[in-house]
Amino acid sequence: MNAPVGNPARTGPHAQQDAIGAPPPSPTLVPAERYYSPEFARLEMERMWPRVWQLACMVDHVAQPGDYFEYRCGPYGVLIVRGDDGVLRAFQNACRHRGNSVCVGSGAGLRELKCGYHGWTWDLAGTLKRVPDRKGFGSLRMSDFPLVPVRVDAWAGLVFVNLDVDAMPLLQYLEAVPDDIAWCRLEDFRCYATLTVDVEANWKTIADGYSETYHIQTLHPELLRCVDDIHAPQQIWGHTGKSDQPYGVPSPRFDGALSDEEVWDAYVSTQGALMGAAEGAPFPADERRPGQTVQDLIAARTREFAASRGVNLGWADTDRITRLHQYNVFPNMTLLANADHLTVMCSRPGPDPDHGEMVIFLTTRMAPGAARNRPTDVRTTAGQAEPGLVLTQDIRLLAGLQRGLHQPGFTHLVLSSEERRVINMHRNLERYLDLPDRERIRGGAPG
């Protein structure tokens, strides 16, 4: 478990640290074939995916008795059900008779789990209750054929599953993340939609894009004008890692050349929805009090926007409203949060190593105890997806990135210490796959 890295520029809880930290002796080299090799993908399916905690859905999907959600990851299918007793359970989505999927998609109002092929039926706790023409099976004991259980647990409104029933508890797997973000009161957010984007890229290619800030200066020039991508301290805990970035300030790369109005305009165009600002909302010069920064103005507008939804953000200072905390959870999840923002993203494997999907969970903060409503689930293609300027830029890049990895002269990714969360993902992957030394990443700082 590594301590925070970087070069402190000031003291205090939000001391500035650069994203790079102490340079390693050499770059880290990751074999490119990990991103397209069918054999490597097979190892992931056999040795990693069945043993890790994966975000499947939100509590909003399965909030009431009889609610269900089908989660798929490659060949694996998990059925998540809220029982009559209010308990959340999960099962391998396979009828014990011939293997047919018991439920597909998501929905509400289930009273039993009935296979649509031959009618074998279980209660919501997974106990077999009916077998048509049972006498044809001879001495068949119903208790011998429950639905096969899967580990399931919820944290902060997120529902995770693990096919390994002997896996470590979810909170242990999440390490320091729950305590680190506890101040944000994530349980008050409600998911209103999920967007699943089919992408011509490996799941790791997708995940890498939300595991570093190095690309902001090139891929996101609009965003660069309102985020400090240099003083973005990072921390690695094990399965998890963290980075945080101050928003509402220009990147130091501009060396003070941007005006406050330009920083405001950039924030409105890339993040304006977070404070309820329409495209082109003018800089509120007439509202500015002596000593107020652009960040203070953004925070004030954000509090007003929250209040219009019945949410009191009086407990959140400017830093908690404008600093984005980004958590990576191995293998495929990132959580982006500040006082009035929660977006969660996952990448999942597709039908072959050159295809995957990005799943974006969209939420809004509500007053404590607000009712839960079933999210709208939308699926689209990378060419059609437009989930905001910055994420659209990320998605449109992925297919070309995946093609480049195949080129015969490109044998290794060359990673810097700023990309340490990408490196950490690969080190975890190596442990789960039990790779021999000759196939492991080379160079960089000791793992």
Side-chain angles (χ1 to χ4, degrees):
M1 309 303 176
N2 299 332
V5 293
N7 301 315
R10 56 186 171 89
T11 60
H14 300 302
Q16 291 192 34
Q17 301 167 3
D18 72 34
I20 294 174
S26 64
T28 298
L29 303 180
V30 177
E33 66 178 1
R34 292 185 178 187
Y35 288 78
Y36 58 80
S37 162
E39 174 61 20
F40 197 86
R42 183 188 65 80
L43 285 178
E44 291 175 341
M45 280 300 168
E46 290 180 0
R47 302 181 183 180
M48 187 272 289
W49 288 111
R51 298 169 54 205
V52 293
W53 284 97
Q54 304 165 50
L55 176 62
C57 63
M58 304 293 276
V59 168
D60 302 277
H61 287 100
V62 285
Q64 300 298 324
D67 287 354
Y68 67 95
F69 187 93
E70 177 202 23
Y71 171 68
R72 296 183 188 179
C73 178
Y76 304 115
V78 176
L79 177 59
I80 303 164
V81 179
R82 179 73 67 177
D84 298 324
D85 55 3
V87 175
L88 199 61
R89 297 182 178 89
F91 310 99
Q92 294 182 20
N93 194 9
C95 173
R96 296 297 303 274
H97 173 221
R98 295 265 292 275
N100 183 48
S101 296
V102 178
C103 288
V104 177
S106 64
L110 281 186
R111 294 179 177 272
E112 60 186 14
L113 300 171
K114 181 178 180 180
C115 176
Y117 196 6
H118 297 95
W120 284 39
T121 304
W122 292 260
D123 65 19
L124 299 187
T127 301
L128 183 60
K129 293 300 183 182
R130 291 195 304 277
V131 174
D133 299 332
R134 179 179 169 186
K135 67 180 182 180
F137 293 93
S139 179
L140 182 149
R141 293 193 306 175
M142 307 286 270
S143 60
D144 286 344
F145 298 96
L147 292 177
V148 179
V150 170
R151 289 288 294 274
V152 62
D153 202 354
W155 165 71
L158 285 68
V159 177
F160 294 79
V161 296
N162 194 321
L163 286 163
D164 181 3
V165 294
D166 297 319
M168 70 174 69
L170 174 63
L171 288 181
Q172 181 181 345
Y173 189 91
L174 293 175
E175 298 165 336
V177 173
D179 286 342
D180 199 75
I181 195 62
W183 62 268
C184 198
R185 309 177 190 181
L186 297 183
E187 63 276 4
D188 290 340
F189 285 91
R190 297 290 181 267
C191 181
Y192 62 86
T194 70
L195 177 65
T196 299
V197 185
D198 292 314
V199 180
E200 294 180 0
N202 187 267
W203 70 269
K204 295 184 292 297
T205 305
I206 301 169
D208 289 354
Y210 48 68
S211 300
E212 45 89 1
T213 57
Y214 184 38
H215 69 281
I216 290 178
Q217 59 185 305
T218 305
L219 184 61
H220 304 311
E222 301 88 352
L223 186 63
L224 190 69
R225 303 168 75 84
C226 63
V227 62
D228 186 342
D229 61 321
I230 290 179
H231 301 112
Q234 301 191 69
Q235 187 164 358
I236 301 295
W237 290 300
H239 282 109
T240 60
K242 177 191 178 183
S243 172
D244 62 81
Q245 305 97 39
Y247 278 70
V249 294
S251 169
R253 300 179 195 279
F254 288 104
D255 198 24
L258 295 184
S259 67
D260 287 350
E261 289 82 356
E262 289 173 308
V263 175
W264 171 271
D265 290 344
Y267 189 87
V268 168
S269 67
T270 60
Q271 316 287 312
L274 301 181
M275 59 178 182
E279 181 69 27
F283 181 68
D286 56 337
E287 301 175 14
R288 192 175 197 174
R289 299 193 303 271
Q292 274 194 314
T293 65
V294 176
Q295 286 182 307
D296 293 328
L297 292 169
I298 290 171
R301 282 289 182 92
T302 303
R303 291 190 195 95
E304 292 172 7
F305 181 50
S308 72
R309 309 192 310 271
V311 174
N312 180 6
L313 284 184
W315 55 270
D317 63 13
T318 291
D319 188 81
R320 285 187 164 176
I321 292 175
T322 59
R323 181 180 295 268
L324 188 65
H325 300 256
Q326 179 170 341
Y327 298 89
N328 293 87
V329 179
F330 179 80
N332 63 335
M333 174 189 140
T334 194
L335 183 152
L336 307 165
N338 63 30
D340 200 37
H341 175 211
L342 172 65
T343 298
V344 188
M345 297 187 292
C346 291
S347 62
R348 296 173 185 159
D352 60 62
D354 286 317
H355 290 82
E357 58 186 35
M358 174 187 284
V359 185
I360 307 170
F361 296 84
L362 303 170
T363 77
T364 187
R365 184 182 286 282
M366 303 292 286
R372 295 187 181 275
N373 298 301
R374 181 175 301 282
T376 300
D377 298 317
V378 177
R379 191 173 199 111
T380 188
T381 64
Q384 296 172 324
E386 293 188 357
L389 175 65
V390 175
L391 282 176
T392 300
Q393 290 171 336
D394 288 325
I395 291 169
R396 299 287 164 81
L397 180 85
L398 291 170
L401 179 55
Q402 185 69 24
R403 283 194 300 273
L405 293 168
H406 278 274
Q407 304 314 305
F410 188 85
T411 60
H412 291 79
L413 286 72
V414 183
L415 303 182
S416 76
S417 60
E418 196 283 333
E419 297 161 293
R420 65 173 56 84
R421 286 175 288 146
V422 178
I423 296 169
N424 188 55
M425 184 270 288
H426 281 280
R427 294 199 188 281
N428 277 303
L429 195 55
E430 289 175 347
R431 287 191 281 270
Y432 276 88
L433 301 191
D434 194 24
L435 295 182
D437 288 344
R438 67 179 182 278
E439 296 179 14
R440 297 191 173 224
I441 59 180
R442 297 185 280 114

PDB file of all heavy atoms in Angstrom, residues 256-280:
ATOM      1  N   GLY A 256      -0.867  31.499 -16.538  1.00  0.00           N
ATOM      2  CA  GLY A 256      -1.590  32.709 -16.134  1.00  0.00           C
ATOM      3  C   GLY A 256      -2.140  33.538 -17.268  1.00  0.00           C
ATOM      4  O   GLY A 256      -2.599  34.665 -17.035  1.00  0.00           O
ATOM      5  N   ALA A 257      -2.148  33.020 -18.491  1.00  0.00           N
ATOM      6  CA  ALA A 257      -2.561  33.825 -19.640  1.00  0.00           C
ATOM      7  C   ALA A 257      -4.071  33.921 -19.800  1.00  0.00           C
ATOM      8  O   ALA A 257      -4.562  34.778 -20.541  1.00  0.00           O
ATOM      9  CB  ALA A 257      -1.955  33.242 -20.925  1.00  0.00           C
ATOM     10  N   LEU A 258      -4.843  33.073 -19.129  1.00  0.00           N
ATOM     11  CA  LEU A 258      -6.293  33.085 -19.300  1.00  0.00           C
ATOM     12  C   LEU A 258      -6.957  34.030 -18.304  1.00  0.00           C
ATOM     13  O   LEU A 258      -6.569  34.112 -17.144  1.00  0.00           O
ATOM     14  CB  LEU A 258      -6.862  31.682 -19.101  1.00  0.00           C
ATOM     15  CG  LEU A 258      -6.450  30.607 -20.108  1.00  0.00           C
ATOM     16  CD1 LEU A 258      -7.188  29.311 -19.812  1.00  0.00           C
ATOM     17  CD2 LEU A 258      -6.724  31.058 -21.529  1.00  0.00           C
ATOM     18  N   SER A 259      -7.993  34.707 -18.773  1.00  0.00           N
ATOM     19  CA  SER A 259      -8.775  35.576 -17.891  1.00  0.00           C
ATOM     20  C   SER A 259      -9.792  34.738 -17.124  1.00  0.00           C
ATOM     21  O   SER A 259     -10.089  33.593 -17.481  1.00  0.00           O
ATOM     22  CB  SER A 259      -9.511  36.630 -18.716  1.00  0.00           C
ATOM     23  OG  SER A 259     -10.504  36.014 -19.529  1.00  0.00           O
ATOM     24  N   ASP A 260     -10.356  35.315 -16.074  1.00  0.00           N
ATOM     25  CA  ASP A 260     -11.394  34.625 -15.321  1.00  0.00           C
ATOM     26  C   ASP A 260     -12.593  34.308 -16.209  1.00  0.00           C
ATOM     27  O   ASP A 260     -13.221  33.262 -16.070  1.00  0.00           O
ATOM     28  CB  ASP A 260     -11.852  35.472 -14.137  1.00  0.00           C
ATOM     29  CG  ASP A 260     -10.814  35.522 -13.022  1.00  0.00           C
ATOM     30  OD1 ASP A 260      -9.833  34.752 -13.091  1.00  0.00           O
ATOM     31  OD2 ASP A 260     -10.985  36.325 -12.088  1.00  0.00           O
ATOM     32  N   GLU A 261     -12.923  35.227 -17.119  1.00  0.00           N
ATOM     33  CA  GLU A 261     -14.048  35.003 -18.024  1.00  0.00           C
ATOM     34  C   GLU A 261     -13.795  33.787 -18.910  1.00  0.00           C
ATOM     35  O   GLU A 261     -14.722  32.995 -19.172  1.00  0.00           O
ATOM     36  CB  GLU A 261     -14.294  36.244 -18.888  1.00  0.00           C
ATOM     37  CG  GLU A 261     -14.874  37.436 -18.144  1.00  0.00           C
ATOM     38  CD  GLU A 261     -13.806  38.238 -17.400  1.00  0.00           C
ATOM     39  OE1 GLU A 261     -12.625  37.828 -17.399  1.00  0.00           O
ATOM     40  OE2 GLU A 261     -14.162  39.280 -16.808  1.00  0.00           O
ATOM     41  N   GLU A 262     -12.566  33.613 -19.371  1.00  0.00           N
ATOM     42  CA  GLU A 262     -12.246  32.464 -20.223  1.00  0.00           C
ATOM     43  C   GLU A 262     -12.327  31.153 -19.448  1.00  0.00           C
ATOM     44  O   GLU A 262     -12.777  30.130 -19.980  1.00  0.00           O
ATOM     45  CB  GLU A 262     -10.851  32.652 -20.833  1.00  0.00           C
ATOM     46  CG  GLU A 262     -10.793  33.740 -21.890  1.00  0.00           C
ATOM     47  CD  GLU A 262      -9.367  34.020 -22.350  1.00  0.00           C
ATOM     48  OE1 GLU A 262      -8.498  34.255 -21.479  1.00  0.00           O
ATOM     49  OE2 GLU A 262      -9.126  33.997 -23.578  1.00  0.00           O
ATOM     50  N   VAL A 263     -11.899  31.184 -18.204  1.00  0.00           N
ATOM     51  CA  VAL A 263     -12.012  29.980 -17.366  1.00  0.00           C
ATOM     52  C   VAL A 263     -13.482  29.646 -17.138  1.00  0.00           C
ATOM     53  O   VAL A 263     -13.903  28.477 -17.243  1.00  0.00           O
ATOM     54  CB  VAL A 263     -11.277  30.186 -16.029  1.00  0.00           C
ATOM     55  CG1 VAL A 263     -11.496  28.976 -15.109  1.00  0.00           C
ATOM     56  CG2 VAL A 263      -9.780  30.405 -16.263  1.00  0.00           C
ATOM     57  N   TRP A 264     -14.282  30.648 -16.830  1.00  0.00           N
ATOM     58  CA  TRP A 264     -15.714  30.441 -16.635  1.00  0.00           C
ATOM     59  C   TRP A 264     -16.361  29.848 -17.893  1.00  0.00           C
ATOM     60  O   TRP A 264     -17.115  28.880 -17.823  1.00  0.00           O
ATOM     61  CB  TRP A 264     -16.382  31.770 -16.282  1.00  0.00           C
ATOM     62  CG  TRP A 264     -17.887  31.731 -16.273  1.00  0.00           C
ATOM     63  CD1 TRP A 264     -18.729  31.969 -17.328  1.00  0.00           C
ATOM     64  CD2 TRP A 264     -18.743  31.429 -15.160  1.00  0.00           C
ATOM     65  NE1 TRP A 264     -20.036  31.835 -16.946  1.00  0.00           N
ATOM     66  CE2 TRP A 264     -20.078  31.504 -15.620  1.00  0.00           C
ATOM     67  CE3 TRP A 264     -18.505  31.120 -13.820  1.00  0.00           C
ATOM     68  CZ2 TRP A 264     -21.173  31.268 -14.788  1.00  0.00           C
ATOM     69  CZ3 TRP A 264     -19.601  30.879 -12.989  1.00  0.00           C
ATOM     70  CH2 TRP A 264     -20.901  30.950 -13.469  1.00  0.00           C
ATOM     71  N   ASP A 265     -16.066  30.444 -19.046  1.00  0.00           N
ATOM     72  CA  ASP A 265     -16.659  29.972 -20.306  1.00  0.00           C
ATOM     73  C   ASP A 265     -16.281  28.514 -20.579  1.00  0.00           C
ATOM     74  O   ASP A 265     -17.118  27.735 -21.060  1.00  0.00           O
ATOM     75  CB  ASP A 265     -16.194  30.846 -21.470  1.00  0.00           C
ATOM     76  CG  ASP A 265     -16.792  32.253 -21.432  1.00  0.00           C
ATOM     77  OD1 ASP A 265     -17.776  32.454 -20.697  1.00  0.00           O
ATOM     78  OD2 ASP A 265     -16.263  33.133 -22.127  1.00  0.00           O
ATOM     79  N   ALA A 266     -15.045  28.149 -20.259  1.00  0.00           N
ATOM     80  CA  ALA A 266     -14.612  26.768 -20.474  1.00  0.00           C
ATOM     81  C   ALA A 266     -15.359  25.817 -19.546  1.00  0.00           C
ATOM     82  O   ALA A 266     -15.765  24.718 -19.951  1.00  0.00           O
ATOM     83  CB  ALA A 266     -13.102  26.648 -20.261  1.00  0.00           C
ATOM     84  N   TYR A 267     -15.566  26.236 -18.303  1.00  0.00           N
ATOM     85  CA  TYR A 267     -16.300  25.390 -17.356  1.00  0.00           C
ATOM     86  C   TYR A 267     -17.745  25.225 -17.804  1.00  0.00           C
ATOM     87  O   TYR A 267     -18.300  24.114 -17.753  1.00  0.00           O
ATOM     88  CB  TYR A 267     -16.244  25.985 -15.950  1.00  0.00           C
ATOM     89  CG  TYR A 267     -16.804  25.063 -14.887  1.00  0.00           C
ATOM     90  CD1 TYR A 267     -16.002  24.117 -14.267  1.00  0.00           C
ATOM     91  CD2 TYR A 267     -18.147  25.114 -14.520  1.00  0.00           C
ATOM     92  CE1 TYR A 267     -16.517  23.256 -13.304  1.00  0.00           C
ATOM     93  CE2 TYR A 267     -18.678  24.262 -13.567  1.00  0.00           C
ATOM     94  CZ  TYR A 267     -17.846  23.332 -12.957  1.00  0.00           C
ATOM     95  OH  TYR A 267     -18.365  22.477 -12.021  1.00  0.00           O
ATOM     96  N   VAL A 268     -18.349  26.310 -18.266  1.00  0.00           N
ATOM     97  CA  VAL A 268     -19.738  26.227 -18.725  1.00  0.00           C
ATOM     98  C   VAL A 268     -19.861  25.267 -19.903  1.00  0.00           C
ATOM     99  O   VAL A 268     -20.792  24.451 -19.968  1.00  0.00           O
ATOM    100  CB  VAL A 268     -20.263  27.627 -19.101  1.00  0.00           C
ATOM    101  CG1 VAL A 268     -21.587  27.532 -19.858  1.00  0.00           C
ATOM    102  CG2 VAL A 268     -20.432  28.484 -17.854  1.00  0.00           C
ATOM    103  N   SER A 269     -18.920  25.317 -20.835  1.00  0.00           N
ATOM    104  CA  SER A 269     -19.036  24.495 -22.040  1.00  0.00           C
ATOM    105  C   SER A 269     -18.751  23.021 -21.770  1.00  0.00           C
ATOM    106  O   SER A 269     -19.239  22.156 -22.496  1.00  0.00           O
ATOM    107  CB  SER A 269     -18.080  25.008 -23.127  1.00  0.00           C
ATOM    108  OG  SER A 269     -16.722  24.819 -22.749  1.00  0.00           O
ATOM    109  N   THR A 270     -17.973  22.728 -20.722  1.00  0.00           N
ATOM    110  CA  THR A 270     -17.616  21.329 -20.450  1.00  0.00           C
ATOM    111  C   THR A 270     -18.322  20.749 -19.241  1.00  0.00           C
ATOM    112  O   THR A 270     -18.545  19.536 -19.175  1.00  0.00           O
ATOM    113  CB  THR A 270     -16.094  21.181 -20.241  1.00  0.00           C
ATOM    114  OG1 THR A 270     -15.690  21.999 -19.125  1.00  0.00           O
ATOM    115  CG2 THR A 270     -15.329  21.595 -21.487  1.00  0.00           C
ATOM    116  N   GLN A 271     -18.678  21.576 -18.250  1.00  0.00           N
ATOM    117  CA  GLN A 271     -19.255  21.099 -16.999  1.00  0.00           C
ATOM    118  C   GLN A 271     -20.482  21.895 -16.566  1.00  0.00           C
ATOM    119  O   GLN A 271     -20.951  21.740 -15.435  1.00  0.00           O
ATOM    120  CB  GLN A 271     -18.209  21.220 -15.860  1.00  0.00           C
ATOM    121  CG  GLN A 271     -16.819  20.767 -16.192  1.00  0.00           C
ATOM    122  CD  GLN A 271     -16.717  19.258 -16.286  1.00  0.00           C
ATOM    123  OE1 GLN A 271     -17.200  18.555 -15.404  1.00  0.00           O
ATOM    124  NE2 GLN A 271     -16.112  18.769 -17.345  1.00  0.00           N
ATOM    125  N   GLY A 272     -20.991  22.743 -17.439  1.00  0.00           N
ATOM    126  CA  GLY A 272     -22.033  23.678 -17.039  1.00  0.00           C
ATOM    127  C   GLY A 272     -23.270  23.035 -16.458  1.00  0.00           C
ATOM    128  O   GLY A 272     -23.936  23.609 -15.586  1.00  0.00           O
ATOM    129  N   ALA A 273     -23.608  21.825 -16.914  1.00  0.00           N
ATOM    130  CA  ALA A 273     -24.812  21.157 -16.416  1.00  0.00           C
ATOM    131  C   ALA A 273     -24.734  20.900 -14.917  1.00  0.00           C
ATOM    132  O   ALA A 273     -25.763  20.813 -14.239  1.00  0.00           O
ATOM    133  CB  ALA A 273     -25.012  19.841 -17.156  1.00  0.00           C
ATOM    134  N   LEU A 274     -23.512  20.819 -14.382  1.00  0.00           N
ATOM    135  CA  LEU A 274     -23.356  20.548 -12.956  1.00  0.00           C
ATOM    136  C   LEU A 274     -23.815  21.713 -12.087  1.00  0.00           C
ATOM    137  O   LEU A 274     -24.067  21.538 -10.894  1.00  0.00           O
ATOM    138  CB  LEU A 274     -21.895  20.215 -12.635  1.00  0.00           C
ATOM    139  CG  LEU A 274     -21.307  19.007 -13.376  1.00  0.00           C
ATOM    140  CD1 LEU A 274     -19.863  18.777 -12.956  1.00  0.00           C
ATOM    141  CD2 LEU A 274     -22.140  17.756 -13.121  1.00  0.00           C
ATOM    142  N   MET A 275     -23.901  22.893 -12.682  1.00  0.00           N
ATOM    143  CA  MET A 275     -24.420  24.033 -11.916  1.00  0.00           C
ATOM    144  C   MET A 275     -25.678  24.594 -12.571  1.00  0.00           C
ATOM    145  O   MET A 275     -26.096  25.719 -12.285  1.00  0.00           O
ATOM    146  CB  MET A 275     -23.349  25.120 -11.750  1.00  0.00           C
ATOM    147  CG  MET A 275     -22.786  25.698 -13.022  1.00  0.00           C
ATOM    148  SD  MET A 275     -21.579  27.026 -12.658  1.00  0.00           S
ATOM    149  CE  MET A 275     -21.136  27.535 -14.326  1.00  0.00           C
ATOM    150  N   GLY A 276     -26.274  23.802 -13.452  1.00  0.00           N
ATOM    151  CA  GLY A 276     -27.519  24.215 -14.085  1.00  0.00           C
ATOM    152  C   GLY A 276     -27.360  25.365 -15.048  1.00  0.00           C
ATOM    153  O   GLY A 276     -28.326  26.080 -15.331  1.00  0.00           O
ATOM    154  N   ALA A 277     -26.164  25.538 -15.609  1.00  0.00           N
ATOM    155  CA  ALA A 277     -25.894  26.655 -16.508  1.00  0.00           C
ATOM    156  C   ALA A 277     -26.062  26.218 -17.959  1.00  0.00           C
ATOM    157  O   ALA A 277     -25.495  25.207 -18.380  1.00  0.00           O
ATOM    158  CB  ALA A 277     -24.478  27.186 -16.291  1.00  0.00           C
ATOM    159  N   ALA A 278     -26.824  26.965 -18.715  1.00  0.00           N
ATOM    160  CA  ALA A 278     -27.017  26.678 -20.131  1.00  0.00           C
ATOM    161  C   ALA A 278     -25.769  27.068 -20.913  1.00  0.00           C
ATOM    162  O   ALA A 278     -24.948  27.879 -20.462  1.00  0.00           O
ATOM    163  CB  ALA A 278     -28.226  27.432 -20.657  1.00  0.00           C
ATOM    164  N   GLU A 279     -25.639  26.467 -22.093  1.00  0.00           N
ATOM    165  CA  GLU A 279     -24.513  26.799 -22.964  1.00  0.00           C
ATOM    166  C   GLU A 279     -24.472  28.303 -23.203  1.00  0.00           C
ATOM    167  O   GLU A 279     -25.486  28.943 -23.493  1.00  0.00           O
ATOM    168  CB  GLU A 279     -24.662  26.062 -24.304  1.00  0.00           C
ATOM    169  CG  GLU A 279     -23.530  26.309 -25.288  1.00  0.00           C
ATOM    170  CD  GLU A 279     -22.217  25.687 -24.846  1.00  0.00           C
ATOM    171  OE1 GLU A 279     -22.246  24.678 -24.114  1.00  0.00           O
ATOM    172  OE2 GLU A 279     -21.159  26.213 -25.258  1.00  0.00           O
ATOM    173  N   GLY A 280     -23.284  28.888 -23.027  1.00  0.00           N
ATOM    174  CA  GLY A 280     -23.121  30.317 -23.266  1.00  0.00           C
ATOM    175  C   GLY A 280     -23.497  31.209 -22.106  1.00  0.00           C
ATOM    176  O   GLY A 280     -23.520  32.444 -22.256  1.00  0.00           O
TER     177      GLY A 280
END
